[in-house]
Amino acid sequence: MKINKILLILFVFMLGLTLQACNGEKEEALPETVEITVDGEVTEEAYFSIPEKVTGVKGAVTVNYAADQTGIYFGIRVKDEKIEISKSGGLLQSDYVGICVDVKADPDKNDGISESTHLFRFDITGRYTYSVGDDYGNWEELVADKAFTLPGTETPKYELIVVEDEGYSAEIYFTWEQLGTSASEIETQNRIMYYIEHRDYNVDIKADANILSPSSYNRLVLLGDRKGSNLPPVAPEITIDGKMDEEVWKSATITNEGNFGELFPGETAGDFIAKAFFGKDGVYFGVYVEEPELWAPNGPGPAYKNCGMEFRIHVLDKDGTPLAAYKWLFDLHGPQWHETVAGGLASSFAPFAEYKYYIDGTVNDDSDTDTGWGFEMYVPYEHLNISNPDTDYIKLLHAVGSFEQNNALPESYRNNPANQDSSGAVSWDFPENYPVVKK
Ligand SMILES: [Ca+2]
Ligand SMILES: [Ca+2]
Ligand SMILES: [Ca+2]
Ligand SMILES: [Ca+2]
């Protein structure tokens, strides 16, 4: 009896110790090694345990990542059917990719480049440059040369493969030490900022301006349930798949709806609907467009001519005080460019948001008839500067566009004489008259 009691006490004591150990347990650790060979082929299994990022001009660049105790690998694959270089210009005028990495940048600050910002650029002839920011916010170019493979001594380790008429792929490996950090620091912080710059010669360039602003880079999370680029830390309450088929969408606010054919003579697109709602942890935006011809042939600059949409978002508190404002342009390849209220157009951006397209058909292929495209996006309240979702609200102009650049504005907005000039043309610049989205 006595022994049983002692055993019981011991058992409870041990259980307590175990629970304590669990609570105080260190978060997931980076693996010893991800077993990646830097040979330009992005094929190793470790690359595919974190969701990839599609970016670049017309969505031609796919970025994968893998990290271990020693450093981080980026696998970059570029679709490019016309590999070319500028005859007179250098690397920056040719088909090239640049990658910026900053392990110290804080997305909540307005950081410029600094000693923790690293930039590696390479073009399809093997020309490369490696630069690091200095104290004064300028790039200091450390090396500029030509090679398809680098051992990783003065630069990150790298190898490039170019396939004529198909594209190119590269692997780039930075040690944590090179980036000015350590594996344990990264495990604790669980975030690094990176950005991809891309030029498709004779088409367009994406993100050449944004590389000067590490706070606006993609946020990459390497460990835990929310691994990937720019995913809000709390999971969405619906499946972000672009389909808007969850029950909650039925009661969402309709922010725009109509029929392209009725609004614009000769238009081939059909019905469209845009909705939004305030959820538990963020705002959800959705759209569906009937579109027999999915076209998005333009690069980032003229992306407004592609099938897509523009969000004009003004966030206000209950007293009407502005909290945040965004102008975001999305085409079928993803976010293209944005404008801040302070002014200034940036060529591309990395909204802190989870989004997905539902492409029902084929883009830029007219050998078939398409059905349409849909989109869902979850933006955490934090990114909208909303601290009180019960009373803060959004004035939203969600303009839906077809390839012909027919931009459909909400009926209530376009029919309001206050938004029209004497010729009947509608100005987009009256946020006080935008449809309201609130809890
Ligand atoms: Ca490899
Ligand atoms: Ca090209
Ligand atoms: Ca969904
Ligand atoms: Ca098609």
Side-chain angles (χ1 to χ4, degrees):
M1 190 70 185
K2 227 177 189 177
I3 287 170
N4 274 351
K5 220 172 193 176
I6 290 165
L7 280 177
L8 184 70
I9 289 166
L10 258 177
F11 174 74
V12 170
F13 179 71
M14 296 291 283
L15 188 72
L17 276 184
T18 314
L19 287 175
Q20 213 170 12
C22 284
N23 286 335
E25 203 174 38
K26 199 164 185 269
E27 284 180 28
E28 199 186 332
L30 292 166
E32 268 323 301
T33 170
V34 281
E35 283 167 4
I36 283 175
T37 310
V38 177
D39 55 5
E41 307 255 22
V42 186
T43 49
E44 289 86 351
E45 209 184 319
Y47 280 124
F48 302 96
S49 68
I50 304 177
E52 64 195 23
K53 169 92 185 154
V54 174
T55 182
V57 176
K58 293 198 268 174
V61 181
T62 303
V63 189
N64 292 88
Y65 357 77
D68 62 20
Q69 290 289 325
T70 67
I72 181 160
Y73 298 82
F74 289 91
I76 296 174
R77 288 168 290 161
V78 186
K79 281 179 285 180
D80 193 334
E81 288 173 2
K82 207 169 170 197
I83 301 281
E84 43 183 348
I85 56 164
S86 152
K87 291 211 172 66
S88 51
L91 188 165
L92 295 182
Q93 270 66 49
S94 304
D95 284 343
Y96 86 93
V97 163
I99 177 166
C100 303
V101 184
D102 194 324
V103 296
K104 303 264 162 84
D106 184 340
D108 299 322
K109 301 244 170 68
N110 198 13
D111 291 341
I113 61 168
S114 69
E115 287 164 321
S116 58
T117 321
H118 297 246
L119 167 62
F120 186 77
R121 286 169 163 149
F122 57 96
D123 78 1
I124 46 99
T125 67
R127 286 180 293 195
Y128 70 88
T129 61
Y130 178 48
S131 310
V132 178
D134 67 15
D135 264 352
Y136 307 101
N138 301 309
W139 293 115
E140 195 186 331
E141 194 175 270
L142 304 180
V143 198
D145 210 334
K146 194 169 175 177
F148 281 79
T149 179
L150 289 168
T153 42
E154 290 165 78
T155 65
K157 193 170 178 172
Y158 131 105
E159 185 144 343
L160 168 68
I161 297 174
V162 179
V163 183
E164 202 60 45
D165 304 331
E166 272 182 40
Y168 49 107
S169 81
E171 285 174 288
I172 296 154
Y173 166 70
F174 295 90
T175 64
W176 296 128
E177 199 187 339
Q178 252 170 350
L179 293 172
T181 185
S182 65
S184 70
E185 261 178 36
I186 291 299
E187 283 165 352
T188 309
Q189 172 180 303
N190 197 15
R191 181 195 69 224
I192 62 177
M193 305 298 282
Y194 79 96
Y195 216 90
I196 299 293
E197 185 183 40
H198 172 224
R199 181 185 286 271
D200 189 359
Y201 181 59
N202 274 328
V203 178
D204 212 339
I205 185 165
K206 182 157 181 173
D208 59 337
N210 304 55
I211 62 166
L212 294 172
S213 167
S215 298
S216 312
Y217 290 1
N218 298 294
R219 313 169 192 217
L220 172 61
V221 167
L222 298 164
L223 300 168
D225 300 335
R226 302 285 291 158
K227 285 194 271 281
S229 291
N230 307 324
L231 296 185
V234 180
E237 63 204 82
I238 60 169
T239 306
I240 299 294
D241 55 9
K243 291 185 180 171
M244 277 207 287
D245 55 7
E246 289 84 0
E247 198 60 31
V248 64
W249 282 116
K250 288 187 184 152
S251 55
T253 305
I254 294 173
T255 55
N256 198 354
E257 80 179 309
N259 179 283
F260 274 102
E262 285 169 17
L263 286 172
F264 308 101
E267 172 64 76
T268 55
D271 286 346
F272 63 89
I273 189 157
K275 293 182 173 186
F277 69 90
F278 273 50
K280 259 190 6 257
D281 304 293
V283 180
Y284 292 79
F285 301 90
V287 65
Y288 186 80
V289 183
E290 286 176 5
E291 175 61 81
E293 294 169 17
L294 295 171
W295 282 110
N298 298 296
Y304 57 89
K305 295 176 183 168
N306 291 336
C307 288
M309 65 204 141
E310 184 166 333
F311 293 96
R312 296 204 175 181
I313 299 168
H314 287 258
V315 189
L316 303 131
D317 74 5
K318 64 177 192 326
D319 303 318
T321 310
L323 300 173
Y326 294 113
K327 287 181 188 175
W328 288 350
L329 185 93
F330 280 72
D331 70 2
L332 296 186
H333 305 297
Q336 295 307 322
W337 43 255
H338 71 123
E339 211 173 321
T340 58
V341 171
L345 194 70
S347 64
S348 61
F349 63 117
F352 186 34
E354 187 166 345
Y355 61 85
K356 184 103 182 195
Y357 283 88
Y358 168 54
I359 302 285
D360 198 358
T362 57
V363 180
N364 297 338
D365 173 358
D366 61 358
S367 66
D368 54 8
T369 302
D370 304 313
T371 306
W373 61 275
F375 175 87
E376 283 177 321
M377 177 166 66
Y378 155 53
V379 187
Y381 286 131
E382 175 196 344
H383 198 46
L384 296 164
N385 211 11
I386 289 175
S387 54
N388 190 344
D390 291 325
T391 54
D392 297 342
Y393 66 100
I394 292 179
K395 293 240 177 204
L396 173 70
L397 192 72
H398 187 166
V400 184
S402 68
F403 169 57
E404 288 85 354
Q405 206 194 331
N406 286 325
N407 281 308
L409 295 173
E411 193 177 1
S412 67
Y413 187 83
R414 65 170 195 270
N415 288 345
N416 182 345
N419 306 327
Q420 299 165 355
D421 66 18
S422 52
S423 74
V426 181
S427 161
W428 294 31
D429 295 332
F430 294 98
E432 63 271 26
N433 299 328
Y434 290 0
V436 170
V437 185
K438 59 182 183 178
K439 203 151 215 175

